[in-house]
Amino acid sequence: MRKKLIAANWKMYKMPDAARDFVSAFLPLVKDHSRDEIVLCPPYVCLPAVIEAVRGSQLGVGGQNIFWEKEGAYTGEISAPMLRAVGCSHVIIGHSEWRQYFGETDDTVNRKLKAALAAGLQPIVCVGEVLEEREAGLTQQVLERQCNLAFSDLSGLEAAPLIVAYEPVWAIGTGKTATPEMAADAHQVIRAQAAKAFGDETARNLRILYGGSVKPENAKALMSQTEIDGALVGGASLDPKSFAAIVLY
Ligand code: 13P
């Protein structure tokens, strides 16, 4: 059985004080919860506050991006060892907003994935089709390409900590969700690519999260699918009660 993981992607929201307040309100709501893993991914500047606030709890903390070099003259960038050094356990890589606004490609996703694994971070690699691709019947092809390139030059052993998030771009921030069946179909495509790249055992153990308008109202239907190993939650993770309701689906 794969343990589910529910991750909050706060994107570019919250100041450090608000991040601390979130954790104070959220922790009591999930204190008896041990079924799933919970990870918070705040903006970089909130990481110290959140890491301090979750100390002693079961919560993990992740960054929302990394650059692939360890250090160097890369103004404004943050490396995987830097996230490790401040206490992060996870990092999101290849989010569709990075692909859309900041020139992320399948190749840079692969470089970042290798850097995260080398530093001992658990990468959450995001893949997903845009609306035109879904309407043109290209979803499977797009997912195969994204996975194939993202997963290249890594062994099954190296890739063991990998987590993938299927985030159909048309469902992000739109209130539209993939049906549980659509998500499960996409997850099977991703798992098949993982099997090709890493072998059956790593693929069997790979956790594939769903992301895109996950809310307290639809979390149970999505999480009840055996193919869905958790959620990557944007908007509904900003409020402690709403994120707790998703965690406790
Ligand atoms: P929403 O939950 O706001 O649709 O965002 C999903 C997402 O992009 C998580 O990474």
Side-chain angles (χ1 to χ4, degrees):
M1 267 302 276
R2 299 180 293 260
K3 187 163 181 152
K4 290 194 201 290
L5 184 151
I6 317 284
N9 174 10
W10 287 353
K11 309 192 178 185
M12 200 174 73
Y13 290 102
K14 291 193 194 294
M15 302 290 179
D17 279 351
R20 218 176 274 115
D21 291 348
F22 176 99
V23 177
S24 311
F26 179 71
L27 280 181
L29 302 175
V30 297
K31 70 176 187 328
D32 299 325
H33 179 83
S34 59
R35 176 188 53 194
D36 304 329
E37 275 179 50
I38 309 170
V39 174
L40 302 179
C41 301
Y44 291 133
V45 296
C46 297
L47 285 172
V50 172
I51 286 162
E52 177 60 33
V54 304
R55 205 175 298 272
S57 77
Q58 80 279 33
L59 267 62
V61 180
Q64 296 177 12
N65 179 49
I66 42 165
F67 186 56
W68 55 81
E69 295 292 346
K70 286 196 190 75
E71 60 179 10
Y74 303 106
T75 302
E77 289 292 356
I78 302 272
S79 73
M82 287 173 179
L83 288 188
R84 277 298 281 162
V86 296
C88 286
S89 48
H90 292 73
V91 63
I92 297 170
I93 294 173
H95 193 277
S96 65
E97 286 146 19
W98 261 82
R99 296 178 190 257
Q100 187 181 352
Y101 304 125
F102 305 118
E104 188 90 275
T105 65
D106 295 321
D107 176 57
T108 60
V109 172
N110 176 249
R111 290 184 191 210
K112 291 176 180 185
L113 171 57
K114 288 175 184 157
L117 291 168
L121 287 168
Q122 292 187 63
I124 304 174
V125 168
C126 302
V127 295
E129 79 287 359
V130 299
L131 185 62
E132 297 73 48
E133 291 164 339
R134 172 152 292 264
E135 285 176 346
L138 295 173
T139 299
Q140 177 165 351
Q141 218 172 303
V142 168
L143 293 175
E144 285 177 353
R145 187 205 73 228
Q146 289 176 335
C147 291
N148 190 20
L149 296 173
F151 298 168
S152 65
D153 303 323
L154 283 165
S155 69
L157 193 63
E158 287 168 324
L162 172 66
I163 298 155
V164 174
Y166 169 57
E167 299 209 307
V169 180
W170 48 270
I172 295 179
T174 57
K176 291 186 197 149
T177 4
T179 63
E181 295 73 24
M182 278 158 99
D185 284 351
H187 287 207
Q188 279 168 10
V189 172
I190 294 164
R191 201 174 300 287
Q193 287 306 112
K196 258 170 70 183
F198 308 131
D200 287 341
E201 194 187 340
T202 300
R204 224 180 1 258
N205 294 327
L206 173 69
R207 288 182 294 179
I208 307 176
L209 319 182
Y210 169 78
S213 298
V214 177
K215 309 278 176 220
E217 304 78 55
N218 58 25
K220 195 179 178 72
L222 289 160
M223 295 307 118
S224 313
Q225 293 280 327
T226 46
E227 260 300 325
I228 300 182
D229 304 310
L232 183 55
V233 187
S237 74
L238 292 169
D239 174 73
K241 285 206 189 87
S242 144
F243 190 52
I246 292 172
V247 168
L248 303 172
Y249 62 83

PDB file of all heavy atoms in Angstrom, residues 120-157:
ATOM      1  N   GLY A 120      19.072  14.846  -1.639  1.00  0.00           N
ATOM      2  CA  GLY A 120      18.274  14.148  -0.636  1.00  0.00           C
ATOM      3  C   GLY A 120      16.906  14.758  -0.402  1.00  0.00           C
ATOM      4  O   GLY A 120      16.277  14.506   0.626  1.00  0.00           O
ATOM      5  N   LEU A 121      16.433  15.557  -1.365  1.00  0.00           N
ATOM      6  CA  LEU A 121      15.058  16.083  -1.277  1.00  0.00           C
ATOM      7  C   LEU A 121      14.112  15.109  -1.975  1.00  0.00           C
ATOM      8  O   LEU A 121      14.498  14.440  -2.926  1.00  0.00           O
ATOM      9  CB  LEU A 121      14.961  17.428  -2.001  1.00  0.00           C
ATOM     10  CG  LEU A 121      15.594  18.639  -1.341  1.00  0.00           C
ATOM     11  CD1 LEU A 121      15.647  19.803  -2.337  1.00  0.00           C
ATOM     12  CD2 LEU A 121      14.813  19.053  -0.091  1.00  0.00           C
ATOM     13  N   GLN A 122      12.871  15.063  -1.513  1.00  0.00           N
ATOM     14  CA  GLN A 122      11.856  14.286  -2.225  1.00  0.00           C
ATOM     15  C   GLN A 122      11.181  15.208  -3.239  1.00  0.00           C
ATOM     16  O   GLN A 122      10.455  16.122  -2.856  1.00  0.00           O
ATOM     17  CB  GLN A 122      10.815  13.738  -1.264  1.00  0.00           C
ATOM     18  CG  GLN A 122      11.389  12.680  -0.331  1.00  0.00           C
ATOM     19  CD  GLN A 122      10.284  12.034   0.493  1.00  0.00           C
ATOM     20  OE1 GLN A 122       9.380  11.401  -0.031  1.00  0.00           O
ATOM     21  NE2 GLN A 122      10.359  12.230   1.799  1.00  0.00           N
ATOM     22  N   PRO A 123      11.430  14.958  -4.535  1.00  0.00           N
ATOM     23  CA  PRO A 123      10.885  15.840  -5.558  1.00  0.00           C
ATOM     24  C   PRO A 123       9.419  15.501  -5.844  1.00  0.00           C
ATOM     25  O   PRO A 123       9.047  14.329  -5.893  1.00  0.00           O
ATOM     26  CB  PRO A 123      11.731  15.533  -6.789  1.00  0.00           C
ATOM     27  CG  PRO A 123      12.612  14.387  -6.423  1.00  0.00           C
ATOM     28  CD  PRO A 123      12.261  13.871  -5.087  1.00  0.00           C
ATOM     29  N   ILE A 124       8.617  16.537  -6.040  1.00  0.00           N
ATOM     30  CA  ILE A 124       7.239  16.360  -6.517  1.00  0.00           C
ATOM     31  C   ILE A 124       7.216  16.936  -7.927  1.00  0.00           C
ATOM     32  O   ILE A 124       7.168  18.163  -8.112  1.00  0.00           O
ATOM     33  CB  ILE A 124       6.227  17.089  -5.611  1.00  0.00           C
ATOM     34  CG1 ILE A 124       6.368  16.625  -4.152  1.00  0.00           C
ATOM     35  CG2 ILE A 124       4.796  16.875  -6.116  1.00  0.00           C
ATOM     36  CD1 ILE A 124       5.491  17.405  -3.144  1.00  0.00           C
ATOM     37  N   VAL A 125       7.327  16.079  -8.921  1.00  0.00           N
ATOM     38  CA  VAL A 125       7.420  16.527 -10.311  1.00  0.00           C
ATOM     39  C   VAL A 125       6.016  16.646 -10.900  1.00  0.00           C
ATOM     40  O   VAL A 125       5.246  15.689 -10.881  1.00  0.00           O
ATOM     41  CB  VAL A 125       8.267  15.543 -11.146  1.00  0.00           C
ATOM     42  CG1 VAL A 125       8.128  15.844 -12.635  1.00  0.00           C
ATOM     43  CG2 VAL A 125       9.736  15.637 -10.741  1.00  0.00           C
ATOM     44  N   CYS A 126       5.706  17.840 -11.413  1.00  0.00           N
ATOM     45  CA  CYS A 126       4.362  18.084 -11.947  1.00  0.00           C
ATOM     46  C   CYS A 126       4.325  17.864 -13.459  1.00  0.00           C
ATOM     47  O   CYS A 126       5.204  18.340 -14.184  1.00  0.00           O
ATOM     48  CB  CYS A 126       3.942  19.520 -11.678  1.00  0.00           C
ATOM     49  SG  CYS A 126       3.949  19.944  -9.929  1.00  0.00           S
ATOM     50  N   VAL A 127       3.303  17.176 -13.906  1.00  0.00           N
ATOM     51  CA  VAL A 127       3.048  17.002 -15.337  1.00  0.00           C
ATOM     52  C   VAL A 127       1.555  17.243 -15.574  1.00  0.00           C
ATOM     53  O   VAL A 127       0.769  17.217 -14.625  1.00  0.00           O
ATOM     54  CB  VAL A 127       3.442  15.582 -15.830  1.00  0.00           C
ATOM     55  CG1 VAL A 127       4.942  15.352 -15.708  1.00  0.00           C
ATOM     56  CG2 VAL A 127       2.667  14.489 -15.067  1.00  0.00           C
ATOM     57  N   GLY A 128       1.194  17.466 -16.825  1.00  0.00           N
ATOM     58  CA  GLY A 128      -0.226  17.659 -17.120  1.00  0.00           C
ATOM     59  C   GLY A 128      -0.417  18.379 -18.433  1.00  0.00           C
ATOM     60  O   GLY A 128       0.439  19.158 -18.855  1.00  0.00           O
ATOM     61  N   GLU A 129      -1.541  18.100 -19.060  1.00  0.00           N
ATOM     62  CA  GLU A 129      -1.848  18.658 -20.383  1.00  0.00           C
ATOM     63  C   GLU A 129      -2.626  19.962 -20.266  1.00  0.00           C
ATOM     64  O   GLU A 129      -3.322  20.179 -19.277  1.00  0.00           O
ATOM     65  CB  GLU A 129      -2.651  17.631 -21.212  1.00  0.00           C
ATOM     66  CG  GLU A 129      -4.144  17.537 -20.889  1.00  0.00           C
ATOM     67  CD  GLU A 129      -4.458  16.849 -19.553  1.00  0.00           C
ATOM     68  OE1 GLU A 129      -3.529  16.418 -18.851  1.00  0.00           O
ATOM     69  OE2 GLU A 129      -5.659  16.772 -19.212  1.00  0.00           O
ATOM     70  N   VAL A 130      -2.513  20.823 -21.281  1.00  0.00           N
ATOM     71  CA  VAL A 130      -3.349  22.024 -21.335  1.00  0.00           C
ATOM     72  C   VAL A 130      -4.663  21.654 -22.042  1.00  0.00           C
ATOM     73  O   VAL A 130      -4.783  20.575 -22.634  1.00  0.00           O
ATOM     74  CB  VAL A 130      -2.644  23.210 -22.050  1.00  0.00           C
ATOM     75  CG1 VAL A 130      -1.367  23.608 -21.316  1.00  0.00           C
ATOM     76  CG2 VAL A 130      -2.348  22.883 -23.502  1.00  0.00           C
ATOM     77  N   LEU A 131      -5.624  22.573 -21.980  1.00  0.00           N
ATOM     78  CA  LEU A 131      -6.966  22.281 -22.490  1.00  0.00           C
ATOM     79  C   LEU A 131      -6.965  21.870 -23.970  1.00  0.00           C
ATOM     80  O   LEU A 131      -7.611  20.889 -24.353  1.00  0.00           O
ATOM     81  CB  LEU A 131      -7.877  23.504 -22.286  1.00  0.00           C
ATOM     82  CG  LEU A 131      -9.344  23.292 -22.676  1.00  0.00           C
ATOM     83  CD1 LEU A 131      -9.983  22.200 -21.819  1.00  0.00           C
ATOM     84  CD2 LEU A 131     -10.125  24.596 -22.508  1.00  0.00           C
ATOM     85  N   GLU A 132      -6.187  22.611 -24.780  1.00  0.00           N
ATOM     86  CA  GLU A 132      -6.170  22.312 -26.229  1.00  0.00           C
ATOM     87  C   GLU A 132      -5.657  20.894 -26.463  1.00  0.00           C
ATOM     88  O   GLU A 132      -6.118  20.200 -27.370  1.00  0.00           O
ATOM     89  CB  GLU A 132      -5.265  23.282 -27.002  1.00  0.00           C
ATOM     90  CG  GLU A 132      -5.685  24.744 -26.965  1.00  0.00           C
ATOM     91  CD  GLU A 132      -5.419  25.398 -25.608  1.00  0.00           C
ATOM     92  OE1 GLU A 132      -4.308  25.248 -25.084  1.00  0.00           O
ATOM     93  OE2 GLU A 132      -6.342  26.052 -25.067  1.00  0.00           O
ATOM     94  N   GLU A 133      -4.689  20.476 -25.655  1.00  0.00           N
ATOM     95  CA  GLU A 133      -4.141  19.118 -25.825  1.00  0.00           C
ATOM     96  C   GLU A 133      -5.198  18.066 -25.445  1.00  0.00           C
ATOM     97  O   GLU A 133      -5.361  17.065 -26.131  1.00  0.00           O
ATOM     98  CB  GLU A 133      -2.874  18.961 -24.978  1.00  0.00           C
ATOM     99  CG  GLU A 133      -1.716  19.803 -25.530  1.00  0.00           C
ATOM    100  CD  GLU A 133      -0.561  20.012 -24.545  1.00  0.00           C
ATOM    101  OE1 GLU A 133      -0.759  19.881 -23.322  1.00  0.00           O
ATOM    102  OE2 GLU A 133       0.539  20.318 -25.016  1.00  0.00           O
ATOM    103  N   ARG A 134      -5.913  18.338 -24.360  1.00  0.00           N
ATOM    104  CA  ARG A 134      -6.968  17.368 -23.973  1.00  0.00           C
ATOM    105  C   ARG A 134      -8.029  17.294 -25.068  1.00  0.00           C
ATOM    106  O   ARG A 134      -8.432  16.205 -25.476  1.00  0.00           O
ATOM    107  CB  ARG A 134      -7.601  17.727 -22.628  1.00  0.00           C
ATOM    108  CG  ARG A 134      -8.814  16.848 -22.306  1.00  0.00           C
ATOM    109  CD  ARG A 134      -9.098  16.648 -20.837  1.00  0.00           C
ATOM    110  NE  ARG A 134      -8.135  15.879 -20.089  1.00  0.00           N
ATOM    111  CZ  ARG A 134      -8.214  14.573 -19.823  1.00  0.00           C
ATOM    112  NH1 ARG A 134      -9.212  13.839 -20.296  1.00  0.00           N
ATOM    113  NH2 ARG A 134      -7.294  13.978 -19.099  1.00  0.00           N
ATOM    114  N   GLU A 135      -8.446  18.482 -25.558  1.00  0.00           N
ATOM    115  CA  GLU A 135      -9.521  18.489 -26.560  1.00  0.00           C
ATOM    116  C   GLU A 135      -9.086  17.852 -27.871  1.00  0.00           C
ATOM    117  O   GLU A 135      -9.900  17.321 -28.615  1.00  0.00           O
ATOM    118  CB  GLU A 135     -10.002  19.931 -26.783  1.00  0.00           C
ATOM    119  CG  GLU A 135     -10.845  20.394 -25.609  1.00  0.00           C
ATOM    120  CD  GLU A 135     -11.301  21.848 -25.690  1.00  0.00           C
ATOM    121  OE1 GLU A 135     -10.762  22.612 -26.521  1.00  0.00           O
ATOM    122  OE2 GLU A 135     -12.183  22.213 -24.897  1.00  0.00           O
ATOM    123  N   ALA A 136      -7.775  17.903 -28.132  1.00  0.00           N
ATOM    124  CA  ALA A 136      -7.270  17.281 -29.367  1.00  0.00           C
ATOM    125  C   ALA A 136      -6.960  15.797 -29.167  1.00  0.00           C
ATOM    126  O   ALA A 136      -6.416  15.150 -30.066  1.00  0.00           O
ATOM    127  CB  ALA A 136      -6.025  18.024 -29.841  1.00  0.00           C
ATOM    128  N   GLY A 137      -7.262  15.266 -27.990  1.00  0.00           N
ATOM    129  CA  GLY A 137      -7.033  13.837 -27.737  1.00  0.00           C
ATOM    130  C   GLY A 137      -5.559  13.505 -27.519  1.00  0.00           C
ATOM    131  O   GLY A 137      -5.127  12.374 -27.741  1.00  0.00           O
ATOM    132  N   LEU A 138      -4.782  14.509 -27.103  1.00  0.00           N
ATOM    133  CA  LEU A 138      -3.328  14.318 -27.001  1.00  0.00           C
ATOM    134  C   LEU A 138      -2.837  14.078 -25.570  1.00  0.00           C
ATOM    135  O   LEU A 138      -1.630  14.048 -25.326  1.00  0.00           O
ATOM    136  CB  LEU A 138      -2.603  15.552 -27.561  1.00  0.00           C
ATOM    137  CG  LEU A 138      -2.790  15.810 -29.054  1.00  0.00           C
ATOM    138  CD1 LEU A 138      -2.168  17.155 -29.449  1.00  0.00           C
ATOM    139  CD2 LEU A 138      -2.152  14.686 -29.868  1.00  0.00           C
ATOM    140  N   THR A 139      -3.759  13.915 -24.620  1.00  0.00           N
ATOM    141  CA  THR A 139      -3.357  13.835 -23.212  1.00  0.00           C
ATOM    142  C   THR A 139      -2.298  12.752 -22.976  1.00  0.00           C
ATOM    143  O   THR A 139      -1.254  13.013 -22.367  1.00  0.00           O
ATOM    144  CB  THR A 139      -4.595  13.577 -22.322  1.00  0.00           C
ATOM    145  OG1 THR A 139      -5.491  14.679 -22.503  1.00  0.00           O
ATOM    146  CG2 THR A 139      -4.215  13.481 -20.856  1.00  0.00           C
ATOM    147  N   GLN A 140      -2.560  11.568 -23.472  1.00  0.00           N
ATOM    148  CA  GLN A 140      -1.629  10.462 -23.230  1.00  0.00           C
ATOM    149  C   GLN A 140      -0.247  10.760 -23.815  1.00  0.00           C
ATOM    150  O   GLN A 140       0.780  10.582 -23.155  1.00  0.00           O
ATOM    151  CB  GLN A 140      -2.185   9.171 -23.830  1.00  0.00           C
ATOM    152  CG  GLN A 140      -1.218   8.007 -23.672  1.00  0.00           C
ATOM    153  CD  GLN A 140      -1.850   6.661 -23.923  1.00  0.00           C
ATOM    154  OE1 GLN A 140      -3.072   6.552 -24.068  1.00  0.00           O
ATOM    155  NE2 GLN A 140      -1.019   5.623 -23.964  1.00  0.00           N
ATOM    156  N   GLN A 141      -0.264  11.280 -25.045  1.00  0.00           N
ATOM    157  CA  GLN A 141       0.996  11.608 -25.725  1.00  0.00           C
ATOM    158  C   GLN A 141       1.796  12.661 -24.947  1.00  0.00           C
ATOM    159  O   GLN A 141       3.017  12.539 -24.804  1.00  0.00           O
ATOM    160  CB  GLN A 141       0.637  12.185 -27.083  1.00  0.00           C
ATOM    161  CG  GLN A 141       1.537  11.782 -28.212  1.00  0.00           C
ATOM    162  CD  GLN A 141       0.924  12.287 -29.517  1.00  0.00           C
ATOM    163  OE1 GLN A 141      -0.227  11.955 -29.851  1.00  0.00           O
ATOM    164  NE2 GLN A 141       1.674  13.111 -30.226  1.00  0.00           N
ATOM    165  N   VAL A 142       1.107  13.679 -24.453  1.00  0.00           N
ATOM    166  CA  VAL A 142       1.772  14.753 -23.712  1.00  0.00           C
ATOM    167  C   VAL A 142       2.366  14.211 -22.417  1.00  0.00           C
ATOM    168  O   VAL A 142       3.530  14.487 -22.074  1.00  0.00           O
ATOM    169  CB  VAL A 142       0.775  15.906 -23.414  1.00  0.00           C
ATOM    170  CG1 VAL A 142       1.351  16.890 -22.404  1.00  0.00           C
ATOM    171  CG2 VAL A 142       0.400  16.619 -24.703  1.00  0.00           C
ATOM    172  N   LEU A 143       1.587  13.413 -21.702  1.00  0.00           N
ATOM    173  CA  LEU A 143       2.085  12.860 -20.431  1.00  0.00           C
ATOM    174  C   LEU A 143       3.275  11.938 -20.683  1.00  0.00           C
ATOM    175  O   LEU A 143       4.251  11.949 -19.930  1.00  0.00           O
ATOM    176  CB  LEU A 143       0.973  12.100 -19.706  1.00  0.00           C
ATOM    177  CG  LEU A 143      -0.191  12.954 -19.198  1.00  0.00           C
ATOM    178  CD1 LEU A 143      -1.291  12.079 -18.611  1.00  0.00           C
ATOM    179  CD2 LEU A 143       0.296  13.965 -18.156  1.00  0.00           C
ATOM    180  N   GLU A 144       3.196  11.151 -21.748  1.00  0.00           N
ATOM    181  CA  GLU A 144       4.315  10.246 -22.055  1.00  0.00           C
ATOM    182  C   GLU A 144       5.580  11.041 -22.347  1.00  0.00           C
ATOM    183  O   GLU A 144       6.657  10.709 -21.860  1.00  0.00           O
ATOM    184  CB  GLU A 144       3.950   9.335 -23.239  1.00  0.00           C
ATOM    185  CG  GLU A 144       2.991   8.240 -22.810  1.00  0.00           C
ATOM    186  CD  GLU A 144       2.516   7.342 -23.936  1.00  0.00           C
ATOM    187  OE1 GLU A 144       2.823   7.634 -25.126  1.00  0.00           O
ATOM    188  OE2 GLU A 144       1.815   6.361 -23.626  1.00  0.00           O
ATOM    189  N   ARG A 145       5.443  12.115 -23.123  1.00  0.00           N
ATOM    190  CA  ARG A 145       6.627  12.929 -23.440  1.00  0.00           C
ATOM    191  C   ARG A 145       7.183  13.588 -22.184  1.00  0.00           C
ATOM    192  O   ARG A 145       8.380  13.528 -21.904  1.00  0.00           O
ATOM    193  CB  ARG A 145       6.253  14.011 -24.469  1.00  0.00           C
ATOM    194  CG  ARG A 145       7.466  14.782 -24.988  1.00  0.00           C
ATOM    195  CD  ARG A 145       7.130  16.184 -25.488  1.00  0.00           C
ATOM    196  NE  ARG A 145       6.833  17.072 -24.383  1.00  0.00           N
ATOM    197  CZ  ARG A 145       5.778  17.882 -24.335  1.00  0.00           C
ATOM    198  NH1 ARG A 145       4.904  17.923 -25.309  1.00  0.00           N
ATOM    199  NH2 ARG A 145       5.580  18.660 -23.274  1.00  0.00           N
ATOM    200  N   GLN A 146       6.304  14.211 -21.394  1.00  0.00           N
ATOM    201  CA  GLN A 146       6.773  14.911 -20.195  1.00  0.00           C
ATOM    202  C   GLN A 146       7.485  13.949 -19.253  1.00  0.00           C
ATOM    203  O   GLN A 146       8.542  14.264 -18.707  1.00  0.00           O
ATOM    204  CB  GLN A 146       5.587  15.573 -19.471  1.00  0.00           C
ATOM    205  CG  GLN A 146       5.032  16.776 -20.219  1.00  0.00           C
ATOM    206  CD  GLN A 146       3.792  17.362 -19.536  1.00  0.00           C
ATOM    207  OE1 GLN A 146       3.085  16.664 -18.817  1.00  0.00           O
ATOM    208  NE2 GLN A 146       3.534  18.623 -19.776  1.00  0.00           N
ATOM    209  N   CYS A 147       6.908  12.762 -19.049  1.00  0.00           N
ATOM    210  CA  CYS A 147       7.508  11.789 -18.116  1.00  0.00           C
ATOM    211  C   CYS A 147       8.798  11.232 -18.677  1.00  0.00           C
ATOM    212  O   CYS A 147       9.814  11.159 -17.987  1.00  0.00           O
ATOM    213  CB  CYS A 147       6.541  10.642 -17.836  1.00  0.00           C
ATOM    214  SG  CYS A 147       5.121  11.150 -16.874  1.00  0.00           S
ATOM    215  N   ASN A 148       8.750  10.848 -19.937  1.00  0.00           N
ATOM    216  CA  ASN A 148       9.903  10.242 -20.579  1.00  0.00           C
ATOM    217  C   ASN A 148      11.139  11.141 -20.463  1.00  0.00           C
ATOM    218  O   ASN A 148      12.225  10.701 -20.076  1.00  0.00           O
ATOM    219  CB  ASN A 148       9.505  10.007 -22.039  1.00  0.00           C
ATOM    220  CG  ASN A 148      10.490   9.182 -22.776  1.00  0.00           C
ATOM    221  OD1 ASN A 148      11.277   8.470 -22.144  1.00  0.00           O
ATOM    222  ND2 ASN A 148      10.484   9.273 -24.088  1.00  0.00           N
ATOM    223  N   LEU A 149      10.962  12.438 -20.754  1.00  0.00           N
ATOM    224  CA  LEU A 149      12.096  13.357 -20.693  1.00  0.00           C
ATOM    225  C   LEU A 149      12.464  13.694 -19.251  1.00  0.00           C
ATOM    226  O   LEU A 149      13.645  13.758 -18.902  1.00  0.00           O
ATOM    227  CB  LEU A 149      11.789  14.631 -21.489  1.00  0.00           C
ATOM    228  CG  LEU A 149      11.593  14.399 -22.993  1.00  0.00           C
ATOM    229  CD1 LEU A 149      11.132  15.668 -23.690  1.00  0.00           C
ATOM    230  CD2 LEU A 149      12.881  13.901 -23.648  1.00  0.00           C
ATOM    231  N   ALA A 150      11.472  13.884 -18.407  1.00  0.00           N
ATOM    232  CA  ALA A 150      11.768  14.224 -17.006  1.00  0.00           C
ATOM    233  C   ALA A 150      12.510  13.082 -16.310  1.00  0.00           C
ATOM    234  O   ALA A 150      13.378  13.311 -15.474  1.00  0.00           O
ATOM    235  CB  ALA A 150      10.476  14.531 -16.252  1.00  0.00           C
ATOM    236  N   PHE A 151      12.173  11.851 -16.661  1.00  0.00           N
ATOM    237  CA  PHE A 151      12.709  10.684 -15.937  1.00  0.00           C
ATOM    238  C   PHE A 151      14.037  10.195 -16.511  1.00  0.00           C
ATOM    239  O   PHE A 151      14.580   9.199 -16.030  1.00  0.00           O
ATOM    240  CB  PHE A 151      11.715   9.514 -16.000  1.00  0.00           C
ATOM    241  CG  PHE A 151      10.369   9.764 -15.345  1.00  0.00           C
ATOM    242  CD1 PHE A 151       9.307   8.882 -15.556  1.00  0.00           C
ATOM    243  CD2 PHE A 151      10.154  10.856 -14.511  1.00  0.00           C
ATOM    244  CE1 PHE A 151       8.063   9.094 -14.962  1.00  0.00           C
ATOM    245  CE2 PHE A 151       8.911  11.076 -13.921  1.00  0.00           C
ATOM    246  CZ  PHE A 151       7.867  10.193 -14.146  1.00  0.00           C
ATOM    247  N   SER A 152      14.589  10.838 -17.549  1.00  0.00           N
ATOM    248  CA  SER A 152      15.722  10.216 -18.239  1.00  0.00           C
ATOM    249  C   SER A 152      17.009  10.242 -17.407  1.00  0.00           C
ATOM    250  O   SER A 152      17.200  11.103 -16.551  1.00  0.00           O
ATOM    251  CB  SER A 152      15.933  10.838 -19.622  1.00  0.00           C
ATOM    252  OG  SER A 152      16.298  12.168 -19.481  1.00  0.00           O
ATOM    253  N   ASP A 153      17.849   9.251 -17.667  1.00  0.00           N
ATOM    254  CA  ASP A 153      19.169   9.093 -17.010  1.00  0.00           C
ATOM    255  C   ASP A 153      19.094   8.943 -15.502  1.00  0.00           C
ATOM    256  O   ASP A 153      19.941   9.486 -14.786  1.00  0.00           O
ATOM    257  CB  ASP A 153      20.099  10.285 -17.297  1.00  0.00           C
ATOM    258  CG  ASP A 153      20.300  10.513 -18.766  1.00  0.00           C
ATOM    259  OD1 ASP A 153      20.375   9.511 -19.486  1.00  0.00           O
ATOM    260  OD2 ASP A 153      20.347  11.686 -19.187  1.00  0.00           O
ATOM    261  N   LEU A 154      18.098   8.269 -15.016  1.00  0.00           N
ATOM    262  CA  LEU A 154      18.021   7.989 -13.577  1.00  0.00           C
ATOM    263  C   LEU A 154      17.706   6.510 -13.397  1.00  0.00           C
ATOM    264  O   LEU A 154      16.875   5.961 -14.130  1.00  0.00           O
ATOM    265  CB  LEU A 154      16.907   8.817 -12.929  1.00  0.00           C
ATOM    266  CG  LEU A 154      17.192  10.297 -12.677  1.00  0.00           C
ATOM    267  CD1 LEU A 154      15.889  11.039 -12.392  1.00  0.00           C
ATOM    268  CD2 LEU A 154      18.175  10.477 -11.516  1.00  0.00           C
ATOM    269  N   SER A 155      18.340   5.880 -12.414  1.00  0.00           N
ATOM    270  CA  SER A 155      18.049   4.466 -12.151  1.00  0.00           C
ATOM    271  C   SER A 155      16.823   4.362 -11.252  1.00  0.00           C
ATOM    272  O   SER A 155      16.403   5.344 -10.612  1.00  0.00           O
ATOM    273  CB  SER A 155      19.237   3.814 -11.456  1.00  0.00           C
ATOM    274  OG  SER A 155      19.347   4.343 -10.148  1.00  0.00           O
ATOM    275  N   GLY A 156      16.272   3.170 -11.169  1.00  0.00           N
ATOM    276  CA  GLY A 156      15.135   2.925 -10.282  1.00  0.00           C
ATOM    277  C   GLY A 156      15.477   3.236  -8.839  1.00  0.00           C
ATOM    278  O   GLY A 156      14.671   3.790  -8.094  1.00  0.00           O
ATOM    279  N   LEU A 157      16.702   2.899  -8.465  1.00  0.00           N
ATOM    280  CA  LEU A 157      17.138   3.155  -7.088  1.00  0.00           C
ATOM    281  C   LEU A 157      17.219   4.660  -6.821  1.00  0.00           C
ATOM    282  O   LEU A 157      16.713   5.153  -5.802  1.00  0.00           O
ATOM    283  CB  LEU A 157      18.513   2.509  -6.877  1.00  0.00           C
ATOM    284  CG  LEU A 157      19.003   2.392  -5.442  1.00  0.00           C
ATOM    285  CD1 LEU A 157      18.069   1.490  -4.629  1.00  0.00           C
ATOM    286  CD2 LEU A 157      20.434   1.850  -5.408  1.00  0.00           C
TER     287      LEU A 157
END
